[in-house]
C-alpha cells in the first residue's frame, strides 16, 4: 500500500501544493473580509489542475490505486469550502483542548511562525482524525496509552498479528478466478451476487470473501492512520499521542446499523461530509462550531435529513473513485447494475458505489421503526447476549448483499488488487509456492 501511495503516477506535487497553500492562506490572509474568496480561488485552481487536467496512465504499475485516490480526493473541494466558508474564521473559535486555549489562538499574530504551526495543525490533524477540536465530535476516546505501550502494541498486534491475518485473507482473494480475471472471467460476472444461480462461488465462500474484504479495508485504514501517528509522534516528535484518538470505536452494547456507522466505523469522512450536511439540513452549524447550544434545527426532520445528506456525500466521494477507474477490462460499464445497458455509463459505472451509502440511511430508518415498535408493543427485555446475536445477524444480513455488489463494481472497474501485494512475506511465499506454483 505504501509503495502504491508513493508511486509517481499520482499528482502529489499538486496535492502537496494544496496542502501547504491552505495553512498559508490561514496564516497570511487576514480573516476578514475576503479571505474565503481569495483562498478558494487559489485552492480550487490547484485542485482543478490535479483532478481534471492531470491524466494518470492506466497502464503504469499501481495505476489503479492512484486512480482511486485521485477520485476520492475530489472531496478536497468540499473540505476547502467547509473550512473557508462554513467555519470561516477558525482562529476565532478553534483550539485543541488540553494543549491550548481559545485566548492562545486568538492572540496569534498574522504572518508569524506560531500562527503557521497552528494553521498546519488545524488543516492536517483535524482532517485526518475528525477529532481534537473543541467543536467537533467527541464520542471517541483519546489515546490513553504510554508511548512505550503504544509502540509495543503497534509492533506486535498490528505489524505482526493483524497484518498476518490481513495477508491470509488478502491472498484468498488472489487465489480466486474472480480476481485473476478482473471479475470478467468466463462465467464469473455474477460471482459476487449473493445466492445468484450463475455464481461459481458457494454462499460460504462469498461470505468469507466479503468478511475478508471488510477486514482488509479496516486494516488498511487503521494501518495508514497508525503510520501517520508513528511518524509524527515517534520520528518527528511534532505531536503527542492524545492528538490521535482511536480511529475506530465500538458498539457499546448497541448492535445496530446506526451504531455501526455512528460509533464503530472510521471518522475520516467527517470533515468532508458532516459540516455541509448540517448546514444544508438547516441545523445551527455556527452555534455548534462556537460551542453554544443550537438555536434551531433540533427537530427530528432536520436530524434525519442531516443523516441522509452525510450518506449522500459519502456516496459521492466513493462514486468519484469508481468513475476514475479505467473500465477497460470488460463491458465498459457495470453489467450487474439495474438496467445497466440502458443507463448512461457514468451512472452504471458507479451505481452501487453511490447507492451503498444512502441505502444505509434507509436501513437506519427501518431498524429505528422496528426497535420503537418492539419497545412499545412487546417490551420484553432480552439478555445482552441475545441482543448481540440478533444485532450482529441483522447487520450481516442487511449489509452483505450490498457490500458484495459494491466490491463487484470496484473489481469490474479495473481495480487491480494484486497491486497491493507486499512481496516476500511468509504468506505470499507460501502462496507463490503452493498456489501459483501448481
Amino acid at each position: 500500500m505504501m509503495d502504491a501511495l508513493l508511486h509517481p503516477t499520482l499528482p502529489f506535487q499538486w496535492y502537496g501544493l494544496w496542502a501547504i497553500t491552505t495553512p498559508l492562506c490561514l496564516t497570511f490572509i487576514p480573516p476578514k473580509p475576503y479571505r474565503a474568496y481569495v483562498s478558494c480561488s487559489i485552492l480550487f485552481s490547484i485542485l482543478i489542475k490535479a483532478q481534471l487536467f492531470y491524466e494518470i496512465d492506466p497502464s503504469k504499475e499501481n495505476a489503479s490505486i492512484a486512480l482511486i485516490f485521485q477520485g476520492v480526493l475530489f472531496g478536497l473541494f468540499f473540505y476547502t469550502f467547509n473550512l473557508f466558508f462554513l467555519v470561516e474564521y477558525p482562529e476565532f473559535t478553534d483550539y485543541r483542548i488540553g494543549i491550548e486555549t481559545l485566548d492562545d489562538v486568538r492572540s496569534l499574530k498574522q504572518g508569524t511562525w506560531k500562527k503557521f504551526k497552528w494553521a498546519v495543525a488545524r488543516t492536517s490533524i483535524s482532517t485526518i482524525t475528525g477529532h481534537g477540536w473543541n467543536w467537533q465530535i467527541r464520542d471517541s476516546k483519546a489515546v490513553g496509552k504510554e508511548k512505550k505501550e503504544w509502540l509495543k502494541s503497534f509492533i506486535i498486534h498490528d505489524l505482526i498479528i493483524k497484518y498476518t491475518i490481513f495477508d491470509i485473507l488478502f491472498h484468498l482473494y488472489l487465489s480466486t478466478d474472480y480476481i485473476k480475471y478482473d471479475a470478467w472471467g468466463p462465467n464469473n460476472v455474477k460471482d459476487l451476487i449473493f445466492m445468484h444461480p450463475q455464481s461459481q462461488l458457494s454462499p460460504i465462500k462469498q461470505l468469507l470473501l466479503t468478511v475478508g474484504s471488510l477486514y482488509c479495508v479496516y486494516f488498511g485504514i487503521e494501518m495508514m492512520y497508525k503510520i501517520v501517528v508513528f511518524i509524527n509522534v515517534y520520528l518527528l516528535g511534532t505531536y503527542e499521542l492524545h492528538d490521535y484518538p482511536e480511529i475506530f470505536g465500538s458498539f457499546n452494547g448497541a448492535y445496530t446499523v446506526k451504531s455501526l456507522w455512528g460509533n464503530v466505523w472510521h471518522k475520516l469522512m467527517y470533515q468532508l461530509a458532516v459540516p455541509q450536511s448540517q448546514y444544508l439540513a438547516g441545523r445551527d452549524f455556527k452555534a455548534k462550531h462556537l460551542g453554544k447550544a443550537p438555536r434551531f434545527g433540533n427537530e427530528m426532520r432536520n436530524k434525519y435529513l442531516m443523516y441522509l445528506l452525510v450518506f449522500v456525500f459519502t456516496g459521492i466521494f466513493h462514486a468519484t473513485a469508481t468513475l476514475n477507474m479505467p473500465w477497460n477490462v470488460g463491458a465498459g460499464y457495470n453489467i450487474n447494475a439495474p438496467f445497466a445497458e440502458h443507463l448512461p455509463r457514468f451512472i452504471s459505472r458507479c451505481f452501487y458505489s453511490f447507492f451503498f451509502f444512502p441505502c444505509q440511511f434507509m436501513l437506519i430508518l427501518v431498524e429505528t421503526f422496528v426497535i420503537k415498535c418492539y419497545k412499545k408493543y412487546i417490551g420484553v427485555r432480552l439478555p445482552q447476549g441475545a441482543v448481540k446475536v440478533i444485532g450482529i445477524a441483522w447487520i450481516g444480513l442487511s449489509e452483505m448483499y450490498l457490500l458484495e455488489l459494491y466490491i463487484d463494481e470496484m473489481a469490474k472497474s479495473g481495480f487491480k488488487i494484486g497491486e497491493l501485494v507486499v512481496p516476500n512475506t511468509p504468506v505470499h511465499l507460501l502462496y507463490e509456492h503452493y498456489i501459483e506454483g501448481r
Side-chain angles (χ1 to χ4, degrees):
M1 172 65 78
M2 290 307 296
D3 178 64
L5 288 175
L6 295 174
H7 202 274
T9 53
L10 195 65
F12 279 110
Q13 67 273 30
W14 293 105
Y15 294 122
L17 182 61
W18 172 88
I20 194 64
T21 304
T22 303
L24 285 174
C25 289
L26 291 175
T27 304
F28 291 102
I29 304 176
K32 298 180 180 180
Y34 302 117
R35 177 202 276 170
Y37 300 98
V38 175
S39 299
C40 285
S41 297
I42 298 171
L43 294 168
F44 279 2
S45 298
I46 295 171
L47 292 176
I48 288 171
K49 171 64 178 179
Q51 295 293 123
L52 303 178
F53 295 95
Y54 186 98
E55 292 188 10
I56 294 172
D57 184 353
S59 66
K60 288 186 177 181
E61 183 183 3
N62 296 324
S64 70
I65 303 296
L67 286 163
I68 284 179
F69 275 97
Q70 189 184 37
V72 170
L73 290 173
F74 172 80
L76 296 179
F77 284 99
F78 289 91
Y79 173 75
T80 302
F81 179 84
N82 294 343
L83 177 63
F84 289 101
F85 280 97
L86 296 187
V87 176
E88 198 169 6
Y89 309 125
E91 59 265 69
F92 293 171
T93 56
D94 296 354
Y95 62 94
R96 285 177 290 171
I97 297 174
I99 299 175
E100 58 202 7
T101 66
L102 186 56
D103 289 337
D104 293 334
V105 176
R106 287 184 172 181
S107 67
L108 296 175
K109 295 181 179 179
Q110 292 294 128
T112 62
W113 175 246
K114 288 185 177 179
K115 181 64 177 285
F116 179 70
K117 288 177 65 178
W118 173 86
V120 169
R122 175 61 184 84
T123 56
S124 60
I125 293 295
S126 73
T127 307
I128 294 171
T129 65
H131 300 77
W133 300 86
N134 61 303
W135 59 279
Q136 292 173 337
I137 48 179
R138 306 176 188 177
D139 59 351
S140 180
K141 296 179 180 178
V143 177
K145 297 179 180 179
E146 296 292 337
K147 282 189 174 182
K148 289 183 179 178
E149 183 184 351
W150 187 95
L151 187 59
K152 180 181 177 182
S153 175
F154 177 62
I155 293 172
I156 296 175
H157 293 98
D158 295 298
L159 294 181
I160 298 176
I161 297 175
K162 286 185 178 181
Y163 181 78
T164 301
I165 296 172
F166 162 82
D167 221 14
I168 292 170
L169 294 172
F170 178 72
H171 280 81
L172 283 176
Y173 267 96
L174 296 181
S175 65
T176 63
D177 288 340
Y178 176 78
I179 293 299
K180 288 179 181 178
Y181 296 104
D182 300 310
W184 290 104
N187 303 317
N188 68 6
V189 293
K190 304 290 185 182
D191 274 4
L192 276 195
I193 300 181
F194 191 57
M195 300 297 288
H196 196 282
Q198 294 181 23
S199 174
Q200 297 183 116
L201 297 170
S202 68
I204 298 298
K205 288 184 178 179
Q206 287 186 344
L207 178 62
L208 182 61
L209 289 178
T210 305
V211 172
S213 67
L214 183 61
Y215 178 85
C216 289
V217 172
Y218 149 78
F219 176 80
I221 292 173
E222 186 179 57
M223 181 55 64
M224 286 191 291
Y225 181 71
K226 289 190 174 181
I227 288 173
V228 172
V229 177
F230 178 77
I231 292 172
N232 285 337
V233 174
Y234 292 87
L235 296 185
L236 301 179
T238 51
Y239 296 99
E240 298 295 330
L241 283 176
H242 55 67
D243 282 312
Y244 294 93
E246 296 290 348
I247 199 166
F248 290 103
S250 65
F251 283 103
N252 295 323
Y255 300 97
T256 61
V257 172
K258 182 178 180 179
S259 182
L260 172 69
W261 291 100
N263 299 330
V264 177
W265 201 236
H266 60 89
K267 310 296 182 182
L268 292 176
M269 302 302 293
Y270 179 85
Q271 292 291 341
L272 303 178
V274 174
Q276 68 265 26
S277 298
Q278 290 180 331
Y279 179 76
L280 292 174
R283 295 168 70 81
D284 195 350
F285 177 80
K286 289 289 185 181
K288 183 177 180 181
H289 176 68
L290 294 169
K292 297 179 180 179
R295 295 167 296 167
F296 55 84
N298 291 327
E299 295 83 4
M300 190 65 67
R301 63 178 181 273
N302 298 81
K303 177 181 178 181
Y304 278 91
L305 176 58
M306 185 197 73
Y307 288 163
L308 172 61
L309 290 171
V310 167
F311 283 117
V312 166
F313 280 114
T314 304
I316 289 173
F317 303 139
H318 286 78
T320 53
T322 307
L323 286 172
N324 243 37
M325 299 303 288
W327 282 98
N328 60 359
V329 294
Y333 60 92
N334 182 6
I335 197 171
N336 293 327
F339 311 106
E341 65 274 21
H342 304 296
L343 292 173
R345 288 195 172 184
F346 80 93
I347 295 178
S348 68
R349 287 178 174 181
C350 67
F351 182 86
Y352 289 111
S353 299
F354 174 80
F355 181 72
F356 175 83
F357 295 94
C359 189
Q360 305 306 314
F361 173 74
M362 302 305 299
L363 292 174
I364 289 172
L365 289 183
V366 169
E367 72 178 13
T368 301
F369 175 75
V370 171
I371 290 171
K372 284 186 176 181
C373 288
Y374 180 87
K375 289 181 177 179
K376 183 176 181 179
Y377 297 109
I378 300 178
V380 177
R381 189 177 181 86
L382 298 174
Q384 185 61 22
V387 171
K388 182 176 181 179
V389 170
I390 294 172
I392 295 297
W394 153 246
I395 292 171
L397 291 172
S398 61
E399 298 286 353
M400 181 177 173
Y401 182 74
L402 283 173
L403 183 58
E404 285 193 331
L405 291 171
Y406 174 38
I407 294 169
D408 179 73
E409 189 164 82
M410 288 300 297
K412 285 179 168 55
S413 72
F415 175 52
K416 306 289 186 181
I417 192 171
E419 293 177 353
L420 296 171
V421 168
V422 177
N424 301 321
T425 65
V427 174
H428 185 63
L429 292 174
L430 288 171
Y431 169 80
E432 285 186 321
H433 181 75
Y434 289 103
I435 304 297
E436 289 193 335
R438 289 180 180 177

